[in-house]
Amino acid sequence: MNERPVVVTAAGAVRGRDDGRVRAWRGIRFAEPPTGPLRWRAPVAAHPWPGVAEASRFGPAAPQRPNPSVPLAPGQPGGARMDEDCLFLNVVRPSAEPRSGGARPVMVWLHGGAYALGSSSQLVYHGDALAADGDVVLVTLNYRLGALGFLDLGAAGATATESNLALRDVLLALQWVRDNIAAFGGDPGAVTVFGQSAGAGLVTALLASPSASGLFHRAIAQSPPAGSMYGPERSGVVARRFLDLLGVRPGDDRALTSVPVEAIVEAGAAVYTEVPREHPGMLAFAPVVGDDILPEAPLGVLSDGRGMPVPLLIGTNRDEATLFRLMRSPLLPIRRPALERMFAAMREEQESEGGPAGVRLPPRERVLAAYRGAPLTRNVRIATDIAFRMPALWLAAGHASAAPTFLYRFDYAPRLLRLTGVGAAHATDLPYVWGEFGGLPRDPSFLLGGRRTAAAVSERVRARWTAFAHGGAPGDGWPAYDSERRATLVIAEEDRLVPDLDAPLRAGWGEQVLSFR
């Protein structure tokens, strides 16, 4: 059909495309360019524009160092565009009338990428299958990345800056959804925010942020690194190292706003690598704890049952850490020396004067007892659990007292990934949630077959995710998590419900919530 549907938003009209299956508006500006005096500041809502703005092409990705494992816009002539002026969002909805006859529920996606990579333009996130088959209005968006989005320069002595800029970008986008999504046929009273990896970390931050109250009504967190958020002391370490590399004094506001963005990206890439190598388990970039947007660490808030009382679907992949081992990434400590250094640092912090009252690391022998029988993969499993699985368990147990909570583990992997030891690694769930198996260029996963089974798994996953967004449970036979049964859905070739799937882990790690401050 290729019609050009026009929708009028609060800031002006936008013209998209309709291919007969979905209507899509790509590259809608929701904020003024965060450049010049706005570079280190909270985003400002987009000013009104005259006439009809074209919305048929993705906006630029946030500045970042190109990474071949994260293709930002495959097939786009000239490759992906990157620009500091990156605060754009996209809306996709089915071409057909809603099955319910009313407004459709809304799903707002936050992409992953270690808080330093990625974009809403990645092919896997185009969303046609998810929107059309799930009968939802889908919103994807860009937020500032790396140093531009997650540095707390104030912790290093800068004055003309604000913290948690990326989280503020997301909050502004959610306000845009509240105010404008009805014009696209979406229900502003039925918004599900969902994300994976860093995007899921942002979801947990939103659940702990007073500023997010009323902006969404359900949440999905896929592999959230919920323990990797830090207070001013740790944030200051990163900010000072960044400024040293940039050659800028903290009080030099003119230099901070005028230094070329390319220099910011390079200095950010350097600390992105240096910080986790010098401090295993610590990320250079992550939401900052202790400001007006995020007063407390999400892991503590949610595990106490004090998060925003909205239904939550949360889980991890069985073999998260194999991706980091395969990529030789410094982000996750897997080798024994790095793991030992991380645990030593955690023990020193948890047991130091002023540490969390009563919190002690479990004895090393008790933890290792949970990993008997797998000496060759023990470090990978430990890294998976401390970075992803245990935080997810702590969050699920706590949030279950505030709102219905559904816990899963994604185990499915095609035969080739199983044989090569990759398994259900970090991010391998994405094509199944989105139904976009073409989103991974030269994807070797199905060289030994399995595409038909994968398509069936994807259909079930998408049905569960969108059923949740429609306001129900995520599919039949999946009860909410509680402290007695601890029901967990294992997503595999055939889904199965397992009571207390993680009992051995809980026995090894204990019930105490562990994290850096």
Side-chain angles (χ1 to χ4, degrees):
M1 294 177 64
N2 204 26
E3 294 182 1
R4 305 299 309 280
V6 174
V7 169
V8 179
T9 73
V14 290
R15 180 185 290 114
R17 292 186 179 276
D18 186 343
D19 64 6
R21 186 186 187 195
V22 297
R23 291 186 172 190
W25 294 263
R26 315 278 192 191
I28 302 174
R29 178 182 293 280
F30 70 90
E32 288 297 293
T35 57
L38 292 180
R39 172 179 276 174
W40 306 105
R41 293 289 191 176
V44 174
H47 295 161
W49 56 78
V52 180
E54 288 295 326
S56 58
R57 185 184 184 193
F58 288 103
Q64 58 196 275
R65 179 180 280 183
N67 187 317
S69 66
V70 185
L72 300 182
Q76 182 170 295
R81 295 180 296 152
M82 284 189 281
D83 197 295
E84 212 172 338
D85 181 12
C86 61
L87 299 182
F88 297 86
L89 55 76
N90 319 289
V91 180
V92 182
R93 50 153 285 189
S95 300
E97 292 301 311
R99 296 168 196 163
S100 66
R104 290 181 167 99
V106 182
M107 299 184 73
V108 179
W109 174 253
L110 307 179
H111 70 78
Y115 302 112
L117 303 168
S119 171
S120 63
S121 63
Q122 291 174 246
L123 187 56
V124 71
Y125 305 142
H126 282 201
D128 292 16
L130 188 62
D133 296 344
D135 199 35
V136 299
V137 176
L138 179 67
V139 178
T140 62
L141 60 102
N142 288 349
Y143 53 89
R144 281 173 278 185
L145 298 172
L148 291 166
F150 293 95
L151 268 187
D152 181 10
L153 292 174
T159 55
T161 64
E162 293 176 87
S163 56
N164 275 323
L165 298 181
L167 188 55
R168 295 176 195 269
D169 295 343
V170 172
L171 287 166
L172 183 61
L174 288 171
Q175 292 167 16
W176 185 97
V177 169
R178 177 195 62 197
D179 299 338
N180 293 284
I181 206 63
F184 296 85
D187 182 354
V191 175
T192 297
V193 63
F194 70 132
Q196 181 267 346
S197 193
L202 288 170
V203 169
T204 65
L206 291 169
L207 287 166
S209 173
S211 299
S213 180
L215 293 178
F216 63 96
H217 312 91
R218 290 180 168 245
I220 301 174
Q222 302 169 212
S223 305
S228 300
M229 299 185 197
Y230 317 107
E233 183 176 345
R234 287 184 180 274
S235 299
V237 170
V238 179
R240 286 188 292 272
R241 178 56 180 154
F242 169 81
L243 291 174
D244 286 344
L245 289 168
L246 202 60
V248 173
R249 292 182 294 104
D252 193 343
D253 295 342
R254 179 176 296 180
L256 283 172
T257 56
S258 62
V259 64
V261 68
E262 294 81 6
I264 291 174
V265 169
E266 287 307 306
V271 297
Y272 172 88
T273 301
E274 285 182 13
V275 167
R277 284 180 175 164
E278 295 176 7
H279 308 276
M282 179 179 172
L283 300 179
F285 304 118
V288 176
V289 175
D291 67 359
D292 59 317
I293 295 294
L294 195 61
E296 298 181 69
L299 187 59
V301 173
L302 272 67
S303 63
D304 286 346
R306 296 184 290 115
M308 189 187 303
V310 300
L312 171 65
L313 194 162
I314 185 170
T316 64
N317 293 1
R318 183 187 59 196
D319 309 303
E320 300 273 7
T322 58
L323 175 71
F324 300 89
R325 181 185 63 184
L326 184 68
M327 297 176 62
R328 298 184 178 179
S329 170
L331 296 182
L332 199 60
I334 294 175
R335 294 183 180 277
R336 182 173 177 176
L339 281 170
E340 295 286 0
R341 287 172 58 203
M342 181 186 74
F343 282 117
M346 289 180 69
R347 186 176 301 281
E348 180 180 354
E349 178 170 296
Q350 300 289 353
E351 298 180 359
S352 65
E353 184 177 351
V359 175
R360 295 291 183 271
L361 280 178
R364 184 175 183 274
E365 296 74 19
R366 194 179 81 189
V367 173
L368 293 180
Y371 299 93
R372 287 174 179 160
L376 296 179
T377 61
R378 185 175 68 183
N379 288 352
V380 172
R381 292 174 59 196
I382 291 174
T384 291
D385 294 336
I386 192 59
F388 296 104
R389 190 62 186 175
M390 292 308 302
L393 296 181
W394 294 323
L395 291 183
H399 196 69
S401 67
T405 300
F406 300 88
L407 180 66
Y408 74 88
R409 193 180 73 189
F410 185 84
D411 283 19
Y412 181 73
R415 186 166 182 257
L416 181 66
L417 296 188
R418 296 197 306 271
L419 291 176
T420 54
V422 175
H426 190 67
T428 57
D429 55 323
L430 288 174
Y432 298 86
V433 171
W434 289 83
E436 301 283 357
F437 291 99
L440 301 175
R442 300 180 297 278
D443 181 5
S445 300
F446 303 113
L447 289 178
L448 298 180
R451 182 177 287 273
R452 182 177 299 178
T453 301
V457 173
S458 175
E459 185 175 351
R460 292 200 309 273
V461 170
R462 285 182 286 123
R464 292 185 185 281
W465 266 228
T466 54
F468 182 72
H470 275 269
D476 296 335
W478 187 357
Y481 190 85
D482 61 55
S483 59
E484 293 184 5
R485 192 180 181 196
R486 302 180 189 270
T488 304
L489 185 77
V490 175
I491 300 173
E493 187 167 335
E494 297 292 338
D495 296 350
R496 67 185 191 278
L497 195 69
V498 181
D500 207 359
L501 173 71
D502 300 286
L505 290 184
R506 292 191 303 104
W509 289 98
E511 302 291 347
Q512 291 277 12
V513 176
L514 307 173
S515 68
F516 288 120
R517 286 175 291 154

